[in-house]
Amino acid sequence: MTYNALKAVSLTHVRYQRGDQLGHFLAWVSLVPVFISLGGFVSHFIFRRELQSMFFALGLVISQFINEFIKKSVQQARPETCALLEMCDSHGWPSSLSQYMFFFAVYFTLLTCKGIGGIWNVRTKWAALFLPWSLAVLTMYSRVYLGYHTVAQVLAGASLGILLGGLWFWVVNSMLFCYFPLIEESPFGRFFYVKDTSHISDVLKFEYDNARAARNTMAARKAMASKSS
């Protein structure tokens, strides 16, 4: 009986040499894009429904489609070290994970520096910017260290991610931003409670103040109801 070759789901399948502590750490680092996509954007949509984040995620998806198109067009092989990992059934140029992380870092930086969403104040802004760029560099390094990509492949991915991240930020906030109110008022926006808080300077304080005001109003109504009864 003839059996077809088996193929693993490589979404979280990262190999490193047994006993290599740095390799173990970098293997987890290379999974950061998965955590951002599933743990970050999915949970953000469930609990926040922010248009800026939705278009941020859409840009990352478009970026990955562009990456796959380029890979299939160029068809550059991964390094020879990748054969030992049994995960070399796809092309290597440009690195998709490097592209993803640098797209994320650029878009996140522009959002923060422009003050869109009002999440970070001046004191925490620069500390917040350090994390995505450090993770982007570590992810790029991990792909070379673990043997999945060459230096040229991760640099190409990083460069393309920076270019696409900046371009998509300009498209969203210069060309598509004017349609945000229409999306909010559309049947889709009303059904899913989609909103845009780009115009609010401090979202956390705004929500905190409104939550306290709603609680105080409810307490006052209960007090009045008890007195009247």
Side-chain angles (χ1 to χ4, degrees):
M1 181 180 293
T2 302
Y3 294 95
N4 294 327
L6 298 178
K7 178 178 173 60
V9 176
S10 58
L11 184 64
T12 59
H13 191 68
V14 182
R15 291 177 177 245
Y16 63 96
Q17 291 185 0
R18 187 184 299 274
D20 185 357
Q21 296 300 318
L22 177 59
H24 188 194
F25 168 72
L26 292 175
W28 280 104
V29 168
S30 66
L31 294 177
V32 168
V34 179
F35 300 146
I36 291 175
S37 298
L38 300 181
F41 285 110
V42 173
S43 62
H44 196 280
F45 174 78
I46 294 173
F47 296 107
R48 301 291 305 174
R49 320 289 175 89
E50 290 278 356
L51 278 170
Q52 278 287 351
S53 297
M54 292 181 190
F55 278 94
F56 192 170
L58 177 61
L60 285 165
V61 172
I62 294 173
S63 173
Q64 292 306 293
F65 274 112
I66 293 173
N67 180 276
E68 286 299 317
F69 175 78
I70 296 175
K71 278 185 176 180
K72 292 180 180 179
S73 300
V74 176
Q75 297 187 3
Q76 185 180 101
R78 292 175 183 265
E80 295 181 359
T81 53
C82 191
L84 301 175
L85 304 171
E86 300 177 358
M87 295 293 293
C88 291
D89 54 352
S90 62
H91 303 298
W93 193 95
S95 166
S96 59
L97 293 187
S98 297
Q99 182 175 323
Y100 182 104
M101 286 305 300
F102 277 87
F103 183 110
F104 179 88
V106 167
Y107 202 101
F108 184 87
T109 297
L110 293 172
L111 277 178
T112 305
C113 290
K114 293 289 185 180
I116 298 175
I119 299 176
W120 312 104
N121 57 36
V122 176
R123 289 174 296 177
T124 59
K125 179 181 293 186
W126 301 112
L129 293 178
F130 173 77
L131 182 60
W133 284 102
S134 61
L135 288 175
V137 172
L138 281 172
T139 300
M140 181 174 64
Y141 176 71
S142 72
R143 304 309 287 170
V144 177
Y145 182 90
L146 296 173
Y148 287 94
H149 287 287
T150 65
V151 173
Q153 289 170 352
V154 296
L155 288 177
S159 301
L160 188 57
I162 291 173
L163 174 63
L164 292 177
L167 178 61
W168 183 246
F169 181 87
W170 176 81
V171 169
V172 171
N173 293 281
S174 297
M175 301 176 65
L176 302 179
F177 182 76
C178 59
Y179 297 104
F180 279 14
L182 295 177
I183 299 175
E184 283 182 309
E185 298 300 325
S186 68
F188 169 82
R190 288 178 173 273
F191 183 81
F192 288 104
Y193 301 113
V194 172
K195 63 183 180 295
D196 173 41
T197 58
S198 301
H199 56 286
I200 301 174
S201 59
D202 192 334
V203 175
L204 295 180
K205 186 177 186 302
F206 176 82
E207 293 181 345
Y208 175 75
D209 290 340
N210 277 274
R212 291 184 64 200
R215 183 189 61 197
N216 293 335
T217 300
M218 183 178 297
R221 288 177 179 175
K222 288 182 178 179
M224 292 179 62
S226 62
K227 288 180 181 180
S228 62
S229 61

